[in-house]
């Protein structure tokens, strides 16, 4: 029979586990594109992010980059996938989208991080 103390210790241990797992979540801030960046459809650009605060153990090192319009992520068309989040940069091809200044880049690892909104022009 499981005693109340054992039960409590198990709960504590589980809580501890989730805490230490949380420490390994790495959500790097996007450095480029910035708020005043202008990209042209068809160009290639390095999306960059800060890896300085990366913990030693990361639960998910595989990154993905998406484009968001008005903060709505286009999940069907990732701009880059399968790269190492510790690289700090990945080259993307600017997709053919309606020109506007409501775009942002979303870097996903364990969790997502938005760049500031920037502009995409058609030419
Ligand atoms: C919680 O984790 C620390 C080290 O990460 C360990 O020393 C401690 O015994 C753990 N506590 C429990 C209740 O599992
Ligand atoms: C991306 O960055 C790398 C390293 O700085 C550089 O060699 C490469 O030319 C850049 N690519 C583009 C499209 O800017």
């Amino acid at each position: 029979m499981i005693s109340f103390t054992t039960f409590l210790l198990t709960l504590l241990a589980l809580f501890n586990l989730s805490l230490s797992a949380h420490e390994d979540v790495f959500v790097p801030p996007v450095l480029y594109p910035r708020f005043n960046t202008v990209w042209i459809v068809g160009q290639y650009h390095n999306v960059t992010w800060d890896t300085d605060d990366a913990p030693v153990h990361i639960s998910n090192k595989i990154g993905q980059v998406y484009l968001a319009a008005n903060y709505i992520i286009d999940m069907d068309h990732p701009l880059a996938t399968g790269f190492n989040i510790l690289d700090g940069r990945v080259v993307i091809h600017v997709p053919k989208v309606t020109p506007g200044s409501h775009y942002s880049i979303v870097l996903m690892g364990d969790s997502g991080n938005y760049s500031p909104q920037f502009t995409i022009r058609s030419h």
Side-chain angles (χ1 to χ4, degrees):
M1 192 178 151
I2 298 171
S3 74
F4 183 66
T5 315
T6 311
F7 176 71
L8 259 188
L9 279 178
T10 309
L11 266 190
L12 268 180
L14 280 178
F15 182 65
N16 218 8
L17 250 188
S18 65
L19 271 187
S20 42
H22 186 78
E23 278 167 14
D24 293 337
V25 171
F26 178 49
V27 187
V30 176
L31 299 176
Y32 181 85
R34 290 182 277 271
F35 77 96
N36 56 352
T37 295
V38 177
W39 284 354
I40 312 235
V41 169
Q43 284 180 334
Y44 289 88
H45 289 283
N46 275 298
V47 169
T48 64
W49 56 91
D50 191 359
T51 56
D52 285 353
D53 295 330
V56 183
H57 301 289
I58 302 178
S59 47
N60 178 20
K61 277 192 190 143
I62 307 300
Q64 285 150 10
V65 164
Y66 293 93
L67 186 69
N70 289 320
Y71 300 107
I72 298 164
I73 303 174
D74 184 357
M75 297 297 289
D76 292 337
H77 305 101
L79 299 182
T81 56
F83 56 86
N84 188 332
I85 204 96
L86 297 178
D87 287 351
R89 68 168 185 93
V90 68
V91 174
I92 62 92
H93 182 223
V94 183
K96 199 170 191 309
V97 289
T98 313
S101 54
H102 56 291
Y103 290 103
S104 44
I105 286 295
V106 186
L107 175 65
M108 304 266 226
D110 296 299
S111 163
N113 220 342
Y114 283 80
S115 76
Q117 290 208 321
F118 66 98
T119 300
I120 295 182
R121 288 198 194 134
S122 55
H123 53 80

